[in-house]
């Protein structure tokens, strides 16, 4: 009994493109909101970063909702919005304490 050589393996075609088209892009305003929220939280005496985080967060949420799935980052926008609110609350509390104690001097070490 003799065995012949096995057939060659099947040839593969070109790779198939991914289904569903291009993935949604992340909103730049959502990223800016998150970054500004973190900066505003770290510098709790300064309201600018926190207020901008709230503004960019609400703009990004509206933009993402209106895009119909073309943009993503709703979680980033929500996190930035919340960090902005916390930063504003801490800044207001900080300035109330400073005004109540009358300690307006900034001293280091």
């Amino acid at each position: 009994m003799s065995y012949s050589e096995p057939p060659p393996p099947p040839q593969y075609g070109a790779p198939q493109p991914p289904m569903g088209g291009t993935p949604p892009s992340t909103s730049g305003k959502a990223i800016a909101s998150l970054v500004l929220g973190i900066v505003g939280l770290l510098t709790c005496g300064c309201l600018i970063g926190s207020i901008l985080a709230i503004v960019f967060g609400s703009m990004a949420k509206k933009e993402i909702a209106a895009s119909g799935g073309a943009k993503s980052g709703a979680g980033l926008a929500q996190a930035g919005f919340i960090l902005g609110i916390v930063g504003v609350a801490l800044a207001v509390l900080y300035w109330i304490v400073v005004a109540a104690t009358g300690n307006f001097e900034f001293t280091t070490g």
Side-chain angles (χ1 to χ4, degrees), residues 47-108:
L47 285 168
I48 296 171
S50 297
I51 292 171
L52 288 175
I54 294 170
V55 170
F56 277 109
S58 73
M59 287 171 52
K61 288 192 288 185
K62 289 177 186 174
E63 179 183 276
I64 292 166
S67 73
K71 292 211 179 251
S72 65
L76 297 175
Q78 184 69 26
F81 185 80
I82 291 170
L83 286 174
I85 291 173
V86 170
V88 167
L90 286 176
V92 168
L93 181 65
Y94 171 78
W95 286 110
I96 288 173
V97 168
V98 167
T101 61
N103 188 9
F104 290 102
E105 295 178 19
F106 293 103
T107 59
T108 57

